[in-house]
Coordinates of all heavy atoms in Angstrom, one line a residue:
I22 N 37.9 45.3 -65.9 CA 36.8 45.1 -66.7 C 35.5 45.2 -65.9 O 34.5 45.8 -66.4 CB 36.9 43.7 -67.4 CG1 38.1 43.6 -68.3 CG2 35.6 43.3 -68.1 CD1 38.4 42.3 -68.9
I23 N 35.5 44.7 -64.7 CA 34.3 44.7 -63.9 C 33.9 46.1 -63.5 O 32.8 46.5 -63.5 CB 34.5 43.8 -62.6 CG1 34.6 42.3 -63.1 CG2 33.4 43.9 -61.6 CD1 35.0 41.4 -62.0
I24 N 34.9 46.9 -63.1 CA 34.7 48.3 -62.6 C 34.1 49.1 -63.8 O 33.1 49.8 -63.6 CB 36.0 48.9 -62.1 CG1 36.5 48.2 -60.9 CG2 35.7 50.4 -61.8 CD1 35.8 48.4 -59.7
G25 N 34.7 49.0 -65.0 CA 34.2 49.7 -66.1 C 32.8 49.2 -66.5 O 31.9 50.1 -66.9
S26 N 32.5 47.9 -66.4 CA 31.2 47.4 -66.8 C 30.1 47.9 -65.8 O 29.0 48.2 -66.2 CB 31.2 45.9 -66.8 OG 32.1 45.4 -67.8
I27 N 30.5 48.0 -64.6 CA 29.5 48.5 -63.6 C 29.3 50.0 -63.7 O 28.2 50.5 -63.7 CB 29.9 48.1 -62.1 CG1 29.9 46.6 -61.9 CG2 29.1 48.8 -61.1 CD1 30.5 46.1 -60.7
K28 N 30.4 50.7 -63.9 CA 30.3 52.2 -63.9 C 29.7 52.7 -65.2 O 28.8 53.6 -65.1 CB 31.7 52.8 -63.7 CG 31.7 54.3 -63.6 CD 33.0 54.8 -63.2 CE 33.0 56.3 -63.1 NZ 34.3 56.9 -62.8
F29 N 30.1 52.2 -66.3 CA 29.6 52.7 -67.6 C 28.6 51.9 -68.3 O 28.1 52.2 -69.4 CB 30.8 52.9 -68.5 CG 31.9 53.8 -68.0 CD1 33.2 53.3 -67.8 CD2 31.6 55.1 -67.6 CE1 34.2 54.1 -67.3 CE2 32.6 55.9 -67.1 CZ 33.9 55.4 -66.9
R30 N 28.2 50.7 -67.7 CA 27.2 49.8 -68.3 C 27.6 49.3 -69.7 O 26.8 48.9 -70.5 CB 25.9 50.5 -68.4 CG 25.3 51.0 -67.1 CD 24.5 50.1 -66.4 NE 23.7 50.7 -65.3 CZ 24.1 50.6 -64.0 NH1 25.2 49.9 -63.7 NH2 23.4 51.2 -63.1
K31 N 28.9 49.2 -69.9 CA 29.4 48.6 -71.2 C 30.9 48.2 -70.9 O 31.6 48.6 -70.0 CB 29.3 49.6 -72.3 CG 30.2 50.8 -72.2 CD 30.0 51.9 -73.3 CE 30.1 51.4 -74.7 NZ 30.1 52.5 -75.6
L32 N 31.3 47.3 -71.8 CA 32.7 46.7 -71.6 C 33.7 47.8 -71.9 O 33.7 48.4 -73.0 CB 32.8 45.5 -72.6 CG 34.1 44.8 -72.5 CD1 34.2 44.1 -71.1 CD2 34.2 43.7 -73.6
T33 N 34.6 48.1 -71.0 CA 35.6 49.1 -71.1 C 36.9 48.6 -70.8 O 37.2 48.1 -69.8 CB 35.2 50.3 -70.2 OG1 33.9 50.7 -70.4 CG2 36.2 51.4 -70.3
M34 N 37.8 48.7 -71.8 CA 39.2 48.4 -71.6 C 40.1 49.5 -72.3 O 39.9 49.8 -73.4 CB 39.5 47.0 -72.3 CG 39.0 45.8 -71.6 SD 39.5 44.3 -72.4 CE 38.0 43.9 -73.2
L35 N 41.0 50.0 -71.5 CA 41.9 51.0 -72.0 C 43.2 50.4 -72.5 O 43.7 49.5 -71.8 CB 42.2 52.0 -70.8 CG 40.9 52.7 -70.3 CD1 41.3 53.6 -69.1 CD2 40.2 53.5 -71.3
H36 N 43.7 50.9 -73.6 CA 45.0 50.4 -74.1 C 46.0 51.5 -73.8 O 46.5 52.2 -74.7 CB 44.8 50.1 -75.6 CG 43.9 49.0 -75.9 ND1 44.4 47.7 -75.9 CD2 42.6 48.9 -76.1 CE1 43.4 46.9 -76.1 NE2 42.3 47.6 -76.3
T37 N 46.4 51.5 -72.6 CA 47.5 52.5 -72.2 C 48.8 51.9 -72.6 O 48.9 50.7 -73.0 CB 47.4 52.7 -70.7 OG1 47.7 51.5 -70.0 CG2 46.1 53.3 -70.2
I38 N 49.8 52.7 -72.5 CA 51.2 52.2 -72.8 C 51.6 51.1 -71.9 O 52.2 50.1 -72.3 CB 52.2 53.4 -72.8 CG1 51.9 54.4 -73.9 CG2 53.6 52.9 -72.9 CD1 52.6 55.7 -73.8
A39 N 51.2 51.2 -70.6 CA 51.6 50.2 -69.6 C 50.9 48.9 -70.0 O 51.4 47.8 -69.8 CB 51.2 50.6 -68.2
N40 N 49.6 48.9 -70.4 CA 48.9 47.7 -70.8 C 49.6 47.1 -72.1 O 49.7 45.9 -72.1 CB 47.4 48.0 -71.1 CG 46.6 48.0 -69.9 OD1 46.9 47.5 -68.9 ND2 45.4 48.7 -70.0
K41 N 50.0 47.9 -73.0 CA 50.7 47.4 -74.2 C 52.0 46.7 -73.8 O 52.3 45.6 -74.3 CB 50.8 48.5 -75.2 CG 49.5 48.9 -75.8 CD 49.7 50.1 -76.7 CE 48.4 50.6 -77.2 NZ 48.5 51.8 -78.1
L42 N 52.7 47.4 -72.9 CA 54.0 46.8 -72.5 C 53.8 45.5 -71.7 O 54.5 44.5 -71.9 CB 54.8 47.8 -71.6 CG 56.1 47.4 -71.1 CD1 57.1 47.1 -72.2 CD2 56.7 48.4 -70.2
A43 N 52.8 45.5 -70.9 CA 52.5 44.2 -70.1 C 52.1 43.1 -71.1 O 52.5 42.0 -70.9 CB 51.3 44.5 -69.1
G44 N 51.3 43.4 -72.1 CA 50.9 42.4 -73.1 C 52.2 41.9 -73.8 O 52.3 40.6 -74.0
L45 N 53.1 42.7 -74.2 CA 54.3 42.3 -74.9 C 55.1 41.4 -74.0 O 55.6 40.4 -74.4 CB 55.1 43.5 -75.3 CG 56.5 43.2 -75.9 CD1 56.3 42.5 -77.3 CD2 57.3 44.5 -76.1
L46 N 55.3 41.8 -72.7 CA 56.1 41.0 -71.8 C 55.4 39.7 -71.5 O 56.1 38.7 -71.3 CB 56.3 41.8 -70.5 CG 57.3 43.0 -70.6 CD1 57.3 43.8 -69.3 CD2 58.6 42.6 -71.1
I47 N 54.1 39.6 -71.3 CA 53.4 38.4 -71.1 C 53.6 37.4 -72.3 O 53.8 36.2 -72.1 CB 51.9 38.6 -70.8 CG1 51.8 39.2 -69.4 CG2 51.1 37.3 -70.9 CD1 50.4 39.8 -69.1
Y48 N 53.6 38.0 -73.5 CA 53.8 37.2 -74.7 C 55.3 36.6 -74.7 O 55.5 35.6 -75.2 CB 53.6 38.1 -75.9 CG 53.8 37.4 -77.2 CD1 52.8 36.6 -77.7 CD2 55.0 37.6 -78.0 CE1 52.9 36.0 -79.0 CE2 55.1 37.0 -79.2 CZ 54.1 36.2 -79.7 OH 54.2 35.5 -80.9
C49 N 56.2 37.3 -74.1 CA 57.6 36.9 -74.0 C 57.9 35.9 -72.9 O 59.1 35.4 -72.8 CB 58.5 38.1 -73.9 SG 58.5 39.1 -75.4
I50 N 57.0 35.6 -72.0 CA 57.2 34.7 -70.9 C 57.8 33.3 -71.4 O 58.8 32.9 -70.7 CB 56.0 34.5 -70.0 CG1 55.7 35.7 -69.2 CG2 56.1 33.3 -69.1 CD1 54.5 35.7 -68.3
P51 N 57.3 32.7 -72.4 CA 57.9 31.4 -72.8 C 59.4 31.6 -73.2 O 60.2 30.7 -72.9 CB 57.1 31.0 -74.0 CG 55.8 31.6 -73.8 CD 56.1 32.9 -73.2
L52 N 59.8 32.7 -73.8 CA 61.2 33.0 -74.1 C 62.0 33.1 -72.8 O 63.1 32.5 -72.7 CB 61.3 34.2 -75.0 CG 62.7 34.7 -75.3 CD1 63.4 33.6 -76.2 CD2 62.7 36.0 -76.0
F53 N 61.4 33.8 -71.9 CA 62.2 34.0 -70.6 C 62.4 32.6 -69.9 O 63.4 32.4 -69.3 CB 61.4 35.0 -69.7 CG 61.3 36.3 -70.2 CD1 60.2 37.1 -69.9 CD2 62.3 36.9 -71.0 CE1 60.1 38.4 -70.4 CE2 62.2 38.2 -71.5 CZ 61.1 38.9 -71.2
I54 N 61.3 31.8 -69.9 CA 61.5 30.5 -69.3 C 62.5 29.6 -70.1 O 63.3 29.0 -69.4 CB 60.1 29.8 -69.3 CG1 59.2 30.5 -68.3 CG2 60.2 28.3 -68.9 CD1 57.7 30.0 -68.3
W55 N 62.5 29.7 -71.4 CA 63.4 28.9 -72.2 C 64.9 29.4 -71.9 O 65.8 28.6 -71.9 CB 63.1 29.1 -73.7 CG 63.9 28.2 -74.6 CD1 64.0 26.9 -74.7 CD2 64.9 28.7 -75.5 NE1 64.9 26.5 -75.6 CE2 65.5 27.6 -76.2 CE3 65.2 30.0 -75.9 CZ2 66.4 27.8 -77.2 CZ3 66.2 30.2 -76.9 CH2 66.7 29.0 -77.5
L56 N 65.0 30.7 -71.8 CA 66.4 31.2 -71.5 C 66.8 31.1 -70.0 O 67.9 31.5 -69.6 CB 66.4 32.7 -71.9 CG 66.3 33.0 -73.4 CD1 66.3 34.5 -73.7 CD2 67.5 32.3 -74.1
N57 N 65.8 30.6 -69.2 CA 66.1 30.4 -67.8 C 66.4 31.7 -67.1 O 67.3 31.8 -66.3 CB 67.2 29.4 -67.5 CG 67.1 28.8 -66.2 OD1 66.1 28.9 -65.5 ND2 68.2 28.2 -65.7
V58 N 65.6 32.7 -67.4 CA 65.8 34.1 -66.7 C 64.7 34.2 -65.7 O 63.5 34.6 -66.0 CB 65.7 35.2 -67.8 CG1 65.9 36.5 -67.1 CG2 66.7 34.9 -68.9
D59 N 64.9 33.8 -64.5 CA 63.9 33.8 -63.4 C 63.5 35.2 -63.0 O 62.3 35.5 -62.7 CB 64.5 33.1 -62.2 CG 64.7 31.6 -62.5 OD1 64.0 31.1 -63.4 OD2 65.6 31.1 -61.8
K60 N 64.4 36.2 -63.0 CA 64.1 37.5 -62.5 C 63.2 38.2 -63.5 O 62.4 39.1 -63.1 CB 65.4 38.4 -62.4 CG 66.4 37.8 -61.5 CD 66.2 38.3 -60.1 CE 67.4 37.8 -59.3 NZ 67.1 37.1 -58.1
A61 N 63.2 37.9 -64.8 CA 62.3 38.5 -65.8 C 60.8 38.3 -65.5 O 60.0 39.1 -65.7 CB 62.7 38.0 -67.2
I62 N 60.5 37.1 -64.9 CA 59.1 36.8 -64.6 C 58.6 37.8 -63.5 O 57.5 38.3 -63.6 CB 59.0 35.4 -64.1 CG1 59.5 34.4 -65.1 CG2 57.6 35.1 -63.7 CD1 58.8 34.4 -66.4
W63 N 59.4 38.2 -62.6 CA 59.0 39.2 -61.6 C 58.8 40.6 -62.2 O 58.0 41.3 -61.7 CB 60.0 39.2 -60.4 CG 60.0 37.9 -59.6 CD1 60.9 36.9 -59.6 CD2 58.9 37.5 -58.7 NE1 60.5 35.9 -58.8 CE2 59.3 36.3 -58.3 CE3 57.7 38.1 -58.3 CZ2 58.5 35.6 -57.4 CZ3 56.9 37.4 -57.5 CH2 57.3 36.1 -57.0
V64 N 59.6 40.9 -63.2 CA 59.5 42.2 -63.9 C 58.1 42.2 -64.6 O 57.4 43.1 -64.6 CB 60.6 42.4 -64.8 CG1 60.4 43.6 -65.7 CG2 61.9 42.6 -64.1
V65 N 57.8 41.0 -65.2 CA 56.5 40.9 -66.0 C 55.4 41.1 -65.0 O 54.4 41.8 -65.3 CB 56.4 39.6 -66.7 CG1 55.0 39.4 -67.3 CG2 57.5 39.5 -67.8
I66 N 55.4 40.5 -63.8 CA 54.4 40.6 -62.8 C 54.3 42.0 -62.3 O 53.1 42.5 -62.2 CB 54.7 39.6 -61.6 CG1 54.5 38.2 -62.1 CG2 53.8 39.9 -60.5 CD1 55.0 37.1 -61.1
A67 N 55.4 42.7 -62.1 CA 55.3 44.1 -61.6 C 54.7 45.0 -62.7 O 53.9 45.9 -62.3 CB 56.8 44.5 -61.3
V68 N 55.1 44.8 -63.9 CA 54.6 45.7 -65.0 C 53.1 45.4 -65.2 O 52.3 46.4 -65.3 CB 55.3 45.5 -66.3 CG1 54.6 46.2 -67.5 CG2 56.8 46.0 -66.2
A69 N 52.6 44.2 -65.1 CA 51.2 43.9 -65.3 C 50.4 44.4 -64.1 O 49.3 44.9 -64.3 CB 51.0 42.4 -65.4
L70 N 51.0 44.3 -62.9 CA 50.3 44.9 -61.7 C 50.2 46.4 -61.8 O 49.1 47.0 -61.5 CB 51.1 44.5 -60.4 CG 50.5 45.0 -59.1 CD1 49.1 44.4 -58.9 CD2 51.4 44.7 -58.0
F71 N 51.3 47.1 -62.2 CA 51.2 48.5 -62.4 C 50.2 48.9 -63.5 O 49.4 49.9 -63.3 CB 52.6 49.0 -62.9 CG 52.6 50.5 -63.3 CD1 52.5 51.5 -62.3 CD2 52.6 50.8 -64.6 CE1 52.5 52.8 -62.7 CE2 52.6 52.2 -65.0 CZ 52.6 53.2 -64.0
A72 N 50.1 48.2 -64.6 CA 49.1 48.5 -65.6 C 47.7 48.3 -65.1 O 46.8 49.1 -65.4 CB 49.4 47.6 -66.8
S73 N 47.5 47.3 -64.3 CA 46.1 47.1 -63.8 C 45.7 48.2 -62.8 O 44.6 48.7 -62.9 CB 46.1 45.7 -63.0 OG 46.3 44.7 -63.9
I74 N 46.7 48.6 -62.0 CA 46.4 49.7 -61.0 C 46.2 51.0 -61.8 O 45.3 51.7 -61.4 CB 47.5 49.8 -60.0 CG1 47.5 48.5 -59.1 CG2 47.3 51.0 -59.1 CD1 48.7 48.4 -58.1
Q75 N 47.0 51.2 -62.8 CA 46.8 52.4 -63.6 C 45.5 52.5 -64.2 O 44.8 53.5 -64.2 CB 47.9 52.5 -64.6 CG 47.8 53.8 -65.5 CD 48.8 53.7 -66.6 OE1 49.0 52.7 -67.2 NE2 49.4 54.9 -67.0
E76 N 45.0 51.4 -64.8 CA 43.7 51.3 -65.5 C 42.6 51.5 -64.5 O 41.6 52.2 -64.8 CB 43.5 50.0 -66.3 CG 42.3 50.0 -67.0 CD 42.2 48.8 -68.0 OE1 43.2 48.1 -68.2 OE2 41.1 48.6 -68.5
L77 N 42.7 50.9 -63.3 CA 41.7 51.1 -62.3 C 41.6 52.6 -61.9 O 40.5 53.1 -61.8 CB 42.1 50.2 -61.1 CG 41.2 50.4 -59.8 CD1 39.8 49.9 -60.2 CD2 41.8 49.7 -58.7
I78 N 42.7 53.2 -61.7 CA 42.7 54.6 -61.3 C 42.1 55.5 -62.4 O 41.2 56.4 -62.1 CB 44.1 55.1 -60.9 CG1 44.6 54.5 -59.6 CG2 44.1 56.6 -60.8 CD1 46.0 54.7 -59.3
I79 N 42.4 55.2 -63.6 CA 41.8 56.0 -64.7 C 40.3 55.8 -64.8 O 39.6 56.7 -64.9 CB 42.5 55.6 -66.1 CG1 44.0 56.1 -66.1 CG2 41.7 56.2 -67.2 CD1 44.8 55.6 -67.2
L80 N 39.9 54.5 -64.7 CA 38.5 54.3 -64.7 C 37.7 54.9 -63.6 O 36.6 55.4 -63.7 CB 38.2 52.7 -64.7 CG 38.5 52.0 -66.1 CD1 38.4 50.5 -65.9 CD2 37.7 52.6 -67.2
L81 N 38.3 54.9 -62.4 CA 37.6 55.5 -61.2 C 37.5 57.0 -61.3 O 36.6 57.6 -60.8 CB 38.3 55.1 -59.9 CG 38.1 53.6 -59.5 CD1 39.0 53.3 -58.3 CD2 36.7 53.2 -59.3
R82 N 38.5 57.6 -61.9 CA 38.6 59.1 -62.0 C 37.8 59.7 -63.2 O 37.6 60.9 -63.3 CB 40.0 59.6 -62.0 CG 40.7 59.3 -60.7 CD 42.0 59.8 -60.6 NE 41.9 61.3 -60.9 CZ 42.7 62.2 -60.3 NH1 43.7 61.8 -59.6 NH2 42.5 63.5 -60.6
T83 N 37.5 58.8 -64.2 CA 36.9 59.3 -65.4 C 35.4 59.4 -65.2 O 34.8 58.4 -64.9 CB 37.2 58.3 -66.6 OG1 38.6 58.2 -66.7 CG2 36.6 58.8 -67.9
P84 N 34.8 60.6 -65.5 CA 33.4 60.7 -65.3 C 32.5 60.0 -66.3 O 31.4 59.7 -66.0 CB 33.2 62.2 -65.3 CG 34.3 62.8 -66.1 CD 35.4 61.8 -65.9
K85 N 33.0 59.8 -67.5 CA 32.2 59.2 -68.6 C 33.1 58.3 -69.4 O 34.3 58.4 -69.4 CB 31.5 60.2 -69.5 CG 32.4 61.1 -70.2 CD 31.7 62.1 -71.1 CE 32.7 63.0 -71.8 NZ 32.1 63.8 -72.8
N86 N 32.5 57.4 -70.1 CA 33.3 56.4 -71.0 C 33.8 57.2 -72.2 O 33.0 57.4 -73.1 CB 32.4 55.2 -71.3 CG 33.2 54.1 -72.0 OD1 34.4 54.2 -72.0 ND2 32.6 53.1 -72.5
N87 N 35.0 57.6 -72.2 CA 35.6 58.3 -73.4 C 36.9 57.6 -73.7 O 37.9 57.7 -72.9 CB 35.8 59.8 -73.0 CG 36.3 60.6 -74.2 OD1 36.4 60.1 -75.3 ND2 36.6 61.8 -73.9
I88 N 37.0 57.0 -74.8 CA 38.2 56.3 -75.2 C 39.3 57.2 -75.7 O 40.4 56.8 -75.8 CB 38.0 55.2 -76.3 CG1 37.4 55.8 -77.5 CG2 37.1 54.1 -75.7 CD1 37.3 54.8 -78.7
D89 N 39.0 58.4 -76.0 CA 39.9 59.4 -76.4 C 40.4 60.3 -75.3 O 40.2 61.5 -75.3 CB 39.4 60.3 -77.6 CG 39.1 59.4 -78.8 OD1 39.9 58.5 -79.0 OD2 38.1 59.7 -79.5
L90 N 40.9 59.7 -74.2 CA 41.4 60.5 -73.1 C 42.6 61.2 -73.4 O 43.5 60.7 -74.1 CB 41.6 59.6 -71.9 CG 40.4 58.9 -71.3 CD1 40.8 57.9 -70.2 CD2 39.4 59.9 -70.8
N91 N 42.8 62.4 -73.0 CA 44.0 63.2 -73.1 C 44.8 63.0 -71.9 O 44.8 63.9 -71.0 CB 43.7 64.7 -73.4 CG 43.1 64.9 -74.8 OD1 43.4 64.2 -75.7 ND2 42.2 65.8 -74.9
L92 N 45.6 61.9 -71.8 CA 46.4 61.7 -70.7 C 47.7 62.4 -70.8 O 48.1 62.8 -71.9 CB 46.6 60.2 -70.5 CG 45.4 59.3 -70.3 CD1 45.7 57.9 -70.3 CD2 44.7 59.7 -69.1
P93 N 48.4 62.7 -69.6 CA 49.6 63.5 -69.7 C 50.8 62.8 -70.3 O 51.9 63.4 -70.3 CB 49.9 63.8 -68.2 CG 49.2 62.7 -67.5 CD 48.0 62.3 -68.3
Y94 N 50.7 61.6 -70.9 CA 51.8 61.0 -71.6 C 51.4 60.5 -72.9 O 50.3 60.4 -73.3 CB 52.4 59.9 -70.7 CG 51.4 58.9 -70.2 CD1 50.9 57.9 -71.0 CD2 50.9 59.0 -68.9 CE1 50.0 57.0 -70.5 CE2 50.0 58.2 -68.4 CZ 49.5 57.1 -69.2 OH 48.6 56.2 -68.7

């Protein structure tokens, strides 16, 4: 959010597939805790970290604020 705000002078958040997956998994954390699945929390952290790094790379490489990016996936 900070990088996009500084670079484009407006609030910029990308809804990539990784971000959507991370949001779904974060929403499921209470279920994972209730089911006592400790390893799932690390998967959620890894997916969220990957989504954050992916969004950072996209924002740094994009020359202008365009929400209709044609990404390779």
Side-chain angles (χ1 to χ4, degrees):
I22 295 174
I23 294 171
I24 300 287
S26 298
I27 292 170
K28 185 173 181 180
F29 302 121
R30 306 266 191 258
K31 68 190 304 190
L32 187 62
T33 303
M34 286 184 257
L35 301 175
H36 292 275
T37 62
I38 293 171
N40 275 339
K41 292 175 185 178
L42 180 61
L45 174 68
L46 291 175
I47 289 169
Y48 182 78
C49 292
I50 284 177
L52 176 65
F53 297 147
I54 292 172
W55 184 66
L56 293 174
N57 201 19
V58 182
D59 297 330
K60 304 269 189 233
I62 303 300
W63 291 106
V64 172
V65 173
I66 292 169
V68 170
L70 180 64
F71 172 77
S73 298
I74 293 170
Q75 180 188 37
E76 184 171 349
L77 175 66
I78 291 169
I79 292 170
L80 286 175
L81 290 175
R82 293 186 58 148
T83 303
K85 61 181 181 171
N86 188 9
N87 183 5
I88 60 170
D89 295 324
L90 295 173
N91 292 323
L92 298 176
Y94 48 84

